[in-house]
Amino acid sequence: MKQKIIIAGGTGFIGQYLVKRFREESDAVQVISRNASGITWAEEEKIRMALEGAEVLINLAGRSVDCRYTEANKQEILQSRIQTTRRLQSVIEQCSIPPKLWINSSTATIYRHAQDQAMDEDRGEIGTGFSVNVAKAWEQAFFERPTPRTRKVALRTAIVLGRGGGVMQPYINLVRFGLGGPQGSGRQVFSWIHIEDVFRITRFVMEHATLEGVYNTAAPFPVLNEQFMQVLRKRIRPLVYFPAPEWLLQLGANLIGTETELVLKSRWVIPRKLQAAGFIFQYPTISEALDEIFAGD
Ligand SMILES: NC(=O)c1ccc[n+]([C@@H]2O[C@H](COP(=O)([O-])OP(=O)(O)OC[C@H]3O[C@@H](n4cnc5c(N)ncnc54)[C@H](OP(=O)(O)O)[C@@H]3O)[C@@H](O)[C@H]2O)c1
């Protein structure tokens, strides 16, 4: 049966993929956006009508973190997430038949820089610093008020790998330009997830009504940065490859307007709760994920 699915921030990398996959499975998808490609955030009554009787609301909205952390950008990164989340909460409170489920994105960056042990939902330790504070504030805005008739799940998502978006193209470019060696020490853990598994986890959460709270959304086999670069090189086969020491990354990040934290932080995150609930990953290993992403190239 056609299910009504609403995706806020559904025009981005993950959102477009989810829209396409849900539509392929014949669901009725509507998008909330800042522009006319969907219901706009200003159209509160339309948002309410869309949410009435919906199977699920998925919220992905937020300014990209791939930028220089200037004060203005930091404010926008934070506020875009908190305000959209609060807005959705207040619209849900006005619904007569609120959505059955609300999935809000969160991020695996919420945990500390970890090279000593994996972070799961129960024993993982929350980190410090700007991006952790954003993640904490985002989850707090999501959970601060109860929604008695709407189940809530926050997906602490690792770096999403898929064709044509996200981090794949920048990494492929680095390797092609000869910088395919490790970044920094190369010993930082790279937790990742294939975009198809993000879709499958969303479905899984919809179909398992007992799941609520926070879920690490990461493949069960994270790799070291140096291993990730190695499997990329195996596929791209550059003529030369040099490591990118921290000073060079800093210089490059300044030039292209981003932050080294995005590649240097050790995110060692495992999906304990999803696996305990019986979720089976389609792409558990980095080789399987990259085989799919590079197929047809
Ligand atoms: N990609 C990853 O590896 C990854 C990993 C962990 C967590 N996440 C989180 O998952 C979410 C989706 O990721 P993504 O890669 O699909 O991001 P994306 O491509 O940057 O898309 C995010 C969407 O948010 C909306 N948006 C941007 N700036 C906004 C603002 N100032 N106010 C309100 N909405 C704004 C945009 O929709 P409109 O332009 O249509 O308004 C955009 O399509 C993000 O919140 C991200 O932090 C992503």
Side-chain angles (χ1 to χ4, degrees):
M1 202 183 76
K2 242 187 183 160
Q3 294 187 316
K4 191 171 162 188
I5 292 171
I6 314 302
I7 308 186
T11 58
F13 168 54
I14 300 174
Q16 281 182 38
Y17 189 85
L18 296 186
V19 170
K20 176 175 100 81
R21 292 294 285 113
F22 280 118
R23 285 189 178 145
E24 279 169 7
E25 297 191 355
S26 301
D27 288 316
V29 186
Q30 281 176 280
V31 165
I32 304 171
S33 163
R34 285 167 305 166
N35 58 58
S37 55
I39 306 171
T40 64
W41 287 100
E43 297 172 298
E44 196 154 308
E45 184 51 19
K46 276 199 187 165
I47 297 180
R48 189 190 61 76
M49 276 155 42
L51 292 183
E52 290 286 354
E55 194 64 27
V56 60
L57 162 65
I58 301 166
N59 177 26
L60 303 165
R63 190 218 194 283
S64 170
V65 295
D66 183 11
C67 59
R68 290 297 299 168
Y69 288 174
T70 60
E71 268 320 303
N73 285 344
K74 278 159 80 172
Q75 271 309 311
E76 202 186 332
I77 288 170
L78 179 69
Q79 292 305 331
S80 58
R81 287 174 171 75
I82 294 180
Q83 284 171 6
T84 47
T85 303
R86 290 210 175 119
R87 176 74 77 82
L88 293 169
Q89 170 82 32
S90 92
V91 179
I92 286 180
E93 287 168 2
Q94 294 160 37
C95 285
S96 340
I97 309 170
K100 284 191 195 146
L101 166 67
W102 176 6
I103 297 178
N104 224 50
S105 181
S106 176
T107 164
T109 287
I110 198 162
Y111 298 106
R112 67 169 167 83
H113 180 91
Q115 290 180 289
D116 53 337
Q117 64 182 66
M119 302 283 122
D120 70 20
E121 296 88 343
D122 300 324
R123 279 162 302 168
E125 293 157 33
I126 304 300
T128 53
F130 169 69
S131 44
V132 168
N133 290 342
V134 170
K136 284 191 333 196
W138 200 6
E139 287 190 3
Q140 199 198 328
F142 180 51
F143 288 116
E144 70 194 348
R145 287 213 303 259
T147 45
R149 289 177 294 162
T150 302
R151 179 162 62 96
K152 279 180 173 170
V153 169
L155 297 181
R156 291 182 173 167
T157 308
I159 293 171
V160 180
L161 303 181
R163 288 185 204 172
V167 299
M168 264 336 285
Q169 202 54 48
Y171 272 113
I172 291 171
N173 290 344
L174 268 184
V175 178
R176 286 200 180 129
F177 294 146
L179 279 176
Q183 295 165 320
S185 72
R187 307 294 297 169
Q188 67 275 35
V189 182
F190 180 76
S191 280
W192 59 276
I193 182 158
H194 190 285
I195 197 161
E196 174 66 12
D197 276 329
V198 175
F199 168 70
R200 294 176 65 253
I201 287 167
T202 306
R203 259 285 183 243
F204 185 82
V205 170
M206 289 165 68
E207 286 164 0
H208 291 76
T210 56
L211 306 189
E212 46 190 335
V214 298
Y215 285 82
N216 288 351
T217 303
F221 298 109
V223 288
L224 293 176
N225 169 272
E226 62 189 11
Q227 295 169 320
F228 179 57
M229 298 314 286
Q230 188 183 27
V231 288
L232 275 179
R233 289 198 304 272
K234 241 174 85 182
R235 284 163 177 83
I236 300 169
R237 300 199 169 281
L239 292 174
V240 289
Y241 66 90
F242 294 102
E246 216 170 312
W247 65 264
L248 183 62
L249 289 172
Q250 189 61 57
L251 187 76
N254 286 340
L255 282 174
I256 63 170
T258 186
E259 291 287 332
T260 53
E261 182 198 352
L262 298 175
V263 292
L264 292 180
K265 179 166 178 182
S266 189
R267 299 181 185 85
W268 190 354
V269 177
I270 49 163
R272 196 194 60 74
K273 280 173 67 181
L274 277 174
Q275 288 191 300
F279 181 76
I280 310 275
F281 285 81
Q282 185 165 341
Y283 299 99
T285 67
I286 194 74
S287 293
E288 287 161 290
L290 292 186
D291 282 348
E292 189 285 327
I293 291 167
F294 281 83
D297 267 13

